[in-house]
Amino acid sequence: MGQTATTCELCGREGVQTTEHHLVPREYGGTFGETAQLCIPCHKQVHALFTNEELATLYPDLKSLRANEKIHKYIKWIRKKPSSAIPLTRKSNAKKRKGKR
């Protein structure tokens, strides 16, 4: 789970610090499943936008994750940032509402 300088599998930026993202969260059976190396901003953004349940059921692979409109817009934006940039990440309003239930 350490960080290495490589290419983010979600946004495609090179020379970024990456972390291991379980495509299906561990709590939903993804402990030994596929993982992807995501830059820190992308990894934070994925978890800010989606619950682990949503990731497990709706976005269990990079293709489905990239197809999401919010992630697509984010990728388009983050690709323009330098590899050293780590922008602030805010939880989505929809996810904030889910947490209040």
Side-chain angles (χ1 to χ4, degrees):
M1 279 214 174
Q3 298 179 356
T4 54
T6 186
T7 301
C8 176
E9 292 183 55
L10 187 60
C11 71
R13 292 187 309 149
E14 296 178 355
V16 293
Q17 294 294 318
T18 61
T19 57
E20 185 177 52
H21 171 68
H22 288 82
L23 293 170
V24 173
R26 290 178 282 198
E27 69 183 282
Y28 287 91
T31 300
F32 302 108
E34 283 189 64
T35 61
Q37 291 298 314
L38 303 186
C39 65
I40 294 167
C42 283
H43 202 169
K44 286 182 177 184
Q45 188 66 26
V46 165
H47 287 287
L49 289 174
F50 309 111
T51 64
N52 281 347
E53 183 178 7
E54 289 171 323
L55 290 171
T57 57
L58 301 174
Y59 309 108
D61 54 51
L62 288 174
K63 183 178 178 181
S64 60
L65 194 55
R66 281 189 198 106
N68 176 277
E69 182 181 344
K70 291 176 185 174
I71 287 292
H72 180 76
K73 286 181 181 179
Y74 175 79
I75 290 170
K76 190 175 177 182
W77 175 80
I78 195 72
R79 280 185 178 157
K80 298 174 187 172
K81 305 296 178 210
S83 60
S84 60
I86 300 184
L88 291 176
T89 305
R90 294 189 181 145
K91 200 181 275 191
S92 73
N93 289 333
K95 190 169 176 188
K96 286 179 191 174
R97 285 191 291 275
K98 288 178 187 174
K100 292 182 180 179
R101 289 183 187 175

